[in-house]
Amino acid sequence: MAILRLDDFEDDTIVLHFGGVAGSLDAYTLAEALIGFADMARAISATVDPGTDIEILVEATGPGSYRTRIRRIRKDYGGLLAVGGAVFWGIVSNYIYDNYVKNDPPPQVTVNADGTIVKTGRYTIVVSPQVQTGTEHVKQNPAVHSGLAKTFAALEADDKVKDFGITGSINDLEPKFTIPRAEFPTVAQRSLPPDEVPQSRSSKKRARLFVLKAWLNHAKRKWSFEWNGEPVSAPITDIKFLDQVDRREVLLGAGDALDAEVTFKQNYDKTLGVWINDPASYVVTKVIRSVSRTP
């Protein structure tokens, strides 16, 4: 797993990498993507360095479908910015990466003298405490994600853009990390704040259910099955299948199984950060086929 630092940007610059065939990036795509990126950067600046107005300058281009170096400066007058470039662009990069992996399993996070180490997705990310704290703050500002969504909506609309990456130098052989085209919609989709996350949801899966106890009629009683080694009780609402059972067109014996679609509810456990199936909610909504026990 690659180890990346997102807190080592220099000269208050960042490089955006647009992957694809060299010279294939449409000018309108680039313009819309850069406007969205600039909006996001300004919203982040307003969150972590309030009262400071900044400009985002495109300085240079480089290899790839297109690479552009972006610099942050104080607007209208000189002087130092309160939040240094390494921290600021680290927050920007960390925020983008966080939206890339937001649907992955919960990351492994370690905090030590070197900073915060986050193991998730394809990479192990190392960021300073200032970057991690700043990233958590900017997540609360809807304008930040609005700018990010604008960038990735523009990239998704151009099928010649194959990936998007972030790096520190325009001459780097590879970006620090890349986001493949297939993940552009994921990045653009806004994550709900914790107080807006739904606490329950419906789910449907295809399953092989081994029959332990059957009710060979249209009664709404729950059959007993084994699913992935666990006992499950569920009624069958597939009328066509139940009619076939009534007419003895389908014969079931001990050890036989059903390939079926199962719907059920899930409840979110905030402590564990996972969705847990509600065992009382299982319903077999469609039987695809019966499977006889192997002798």
Side-chain angles (χ1 to χ4, degrees):
M1 182 179 289
I3 299 178
L4 307 174
R5 293 205 69 95
L6 295 184
D7 55 3
D8 60 352
F9 293 92
E10 298 179 352
D11 299 326
D12 216 337
T13 62
I14 192 171
V15 174
L16 309 185
H17 172 92
F18 304 92
V21 179
S24 66
L25 185 61
D26 182 83
Y28 287 102
T29 299
L30 178 63
E32 289 295 321
L34 290 179
I35 289 171
F37 185 85
D39 288 347
M40 177 188 66
R42 288 195 179 98
I44 288 176
S45 179
T47 304
V48 301
D49 192 8
T52 300
D53 197 6
I54 64 169
E55 288 184 349
I56 304 298
L57 304 181
V58 177
E59 284 199 329
T61 60
S65 170
Y66 200 84
R67 275 188 183 179
T68 181
R69 185 169 65 219
I70 307 261
R71 181 179 298 276
R72 178 186 64 137
I73 63 171
R74 186 185 289 268
K75 191 173 183 179
D76 296 332
Y77 55 91
L80 297 176
L81 294 157
V83 177
V87 172
F88 180 79
W89 293 120
I91 293 170
V92 170
S93 301
N94 198 35
Y95 179 77
I96 294 172
Y97 183 80
D98 188 71
N99 276 273
Y100 168 35
V101 298
K102 61 190 172 190
N103 292 335
D104 286 6
Q108 179 183 341
V109 181
T110 305
V111 180
N112 57 31
D114 294 327
T116 300
I117 303 172
V118 182
K119 295 182 179 181
T120 182
R122 294 166 45 197
Y123 305 100
T124 295
I125 304 294
V126 181
V127 297
S128 67
Q130 296 98 319
V131 168
Q132 186 63 26
T133 300
T135 304
E136 294 304 315
H137 285 165
V138 302
K139 288 179 182 179
Q140 309 305 315
N141 184 350
V144 175
H145 195 82
S146 177
L148 180 67
K150 186 184 298 182
T151 293
F152 278 87
L155 299 180
E156 186 184 1
D158 188 339
D159 58 10
K160 293 182 179 179
V161 180
K162 302 307 180 185
D163 58 59
F164 173 84
I166 294 287
T167 194
S169 170
I170 208 159
N171 296 316
D172 287 345
L173 294 178
E174 297 291 338
K176 287 179 176 291
F177 65 85
T178 57
I179 300 173
R181 177 177 183 79
E183 298 298 328
F184 288 175
T186 298
V187 179
Q189 183 180 22
R190 175 176 173 263
S191 293
L192 293 175
D195 58 347
E196 295 182 26
V197 174
Q199 300 305 302
S200 64
R201 68 184 183 186
S202 297
S203 187
K204 178 171 71 174
K205 287 190 176 181
R206 179 164 175 168
R208 173 158 292 188
L209 305 172
F210 289 91
V211 179
L212 302 180
K213 181 178 180 180
W215 293 96
L216 304 180
N217 52 43
H218 282 253
K220 294 182 179 180
R221 295 181 178 181
K222 292 185 177 182
W223 294 40
S224 295
F225 303 102
E226 180 183 296
W227 182 17
N228 292 332
E230 298 292 332
V232 171
S233 296
I236 295 178
T237 59
D238 186 337
I239 300 300
K240 180 180 178 181
F241 170 77
L242 294 175
D243 285 343
Q244 290 175 325
V245 172
D246 270 351
R247 295 192 298 266
R248 301 180 65 82
E249 296 173 5
V250 174
L251 300 176
L252 296 171
D256 291 346
L258 302 177
D259 280 346
E261 290 182 356
V262 182
T263 63
F264 50 93
K265 293 180 180 178
Q266 294 180 306
N267 298 312
Y268 187 71
D269 188 312
K270 292 183 179 180
T271 302
L272 299 176
V274 297
W275 290 92
I276 297 177
N277 297 349
D278 179 355
S281 67
Y282 291 109
V283 177
V284 178
T285 54
K286 181 179 181 180
V287 177
I288 299 167
R289 67 185 181 115
S290 60
V291 182
S292 298
R293 175 173 58 96
T294 302

